[in-house]
Amino acid sequence: IKFQSSVSCWGYFSVGANGGIHEYADSQFGHIFAHGKTREEARKALMLSLRNIDVVGTIRNPVEYLVELLGMNSFIGNTIDTSWLDGLIKAKS
């Protein structure tokens, strides 16, 4: 995993010295956090960091889907609730 932290975005990952996912990691092998003066600044910082992350290997990851979610008007406008993602998943199936 190649990830560059910034002033407004940082993360940590369960990756060993050899570059492999740590044997005790669950499906959430990393976490990324963003902040800004506004929600919009934080959202943009997170999108930029996700676009620049590089996950090498055969591990499945949701990076592209997360960028897509962060760009949706409902997310930008903060008109989401706890059922929002479930509704999106249901609509795709």
Side-chain angles (χ1 to χ4, degrees), residues 45-63:
L46 183 56
M47 285 185 73
L48 181 62
S49 289
L50 287 171
R51 285 185 177 131
N52 290 318
I53 194 170
D54 189 17
V55 180
V56 180
T58 56
I59 186 167
R60 291 179 53 208
N61 65 77
V63 171

Side-chain angles (χ1 to χ4, degrees), residues 20-56:
I21 300 297
H22 191 276
E23 65 182 296
Y24 299 110
D26 61 11
S27 61
Q28 296 182 1
F29 63 88
H31 295 85
I32 300 174
F33 304 89
H35 68 92
K37 290 182 181 178
T38 65
R39 183 176 188 277
E40 182 64 7
E41 283 183 12
R43 185 189 71 83
K44 287 180 178 179
L46 183 56
M47 285 185 73
L48 181 62
S49 289
L50 287 171
R51 285 185 177 131
N52 290 318
I53 194 170
D54 189 17
V55 180
V56 180

Side-chain angles (χ1 to χ4, degrees), residues 3-11 32-35 42 45-46 49-50:
F3 178 77
Q4 180 65 48
S5 292
S6 68
V7 173
S8 57
C9 199
W10 66 276
I32 300 174
F33 304 89
H35 68 92
L46 183 56
S49 289
L50 287 171

Side-chain angles (χ1 to χ4, degrees), residues 64-75:
E64 291 177 14
Y65 187 55
L66 292 172
V67 171
E68 180 183 333
L69 294 176
L70 291 168
M72 291 183 169
N73 289 332
S74 51
F75 190 92

